[in-house]
Amino acid sequence: QVQLVESGGGLVQAGGSLRLSCVSSGRAFSGYAMGWFRQAPGKEREFVAAIIWSGTRTRYADSVKGRFSISRDNDKNTVALQMNSLRVEDTAVYYCGGGVHPCGLEDADFKSWGQGTQVTVSS
């Protein structure tokens, strides 16, 4: 069973940057797509970004395009989310998602979740 552990959340001012990281264990990391999702208070969890097994194709939510960048290191079993130009509306708990296919980047392709890391952006 896959285990996912996120880190890197915190409090940052609007316009600042944070880098989230997720370490995966329990299965062959390089065989699956990985993603990031987030859930703000009172809202449902939403897709943020995803990356296929090789790192050569990505998908982003419109709200983060041009500001966030997802990457992965298959040697270290990690996936990262670089978040720049943060906005107050980016405040949420961010979850790492483990995919069930190598190249599936749709929301329904992610079935495993970490415990989440809080990102708070102040104005």
Side-chain angles (χ1 to χ4, degrees), residues 12-109:
V12 64
Q13 286 191 327
S17 298
L18 278 176
R19 183 177 179 85
L20 305 183
S21 184
C22 170
V23 178
S24 174
S25 61
R27 68 174 183 179
F29 179 76
S30 61
Y32 299 91
M34 295 295 295
W36 287 95
F37 291 71
R38 66 187 182 187
Q39 186 168 19
K43 296 186 177 181
E44 293 191 353
R45 185 161 54 194
E46 66 174 5
F47 170 80
V48 175
I51 187 167
I52 67 170
W53 72 276
S54 62
T56 55
R57 184 162 63 92
T58 58
R59 173 185 167 228
Y60 294 93
D62 289 343
S63 60
V64 306
K65 280 181 182 177
R67 301 187 297 122
F68 290 12
S69 177
I70 187 171
S71 61
R72 65 188 296 160
D73 185 334
N74 287 343
D75 291 333
K76 296 181 179 179
N77 291 358
T78 59
V79 59
L81 184 69
Q82 178 66 42
M83 306 186 295
N84 299 327
S85 302
L86 282 161
R87 303 169 180 169
V88 172
E89 53 265 37
D90 293 319
T91 296
V93 177
Y94 283 70
Y95 296 92
C96 177
V100 296
H101 305 295
C103 298
L105 298 183
E106 298 303 313
D107 296 14
D109 292 324

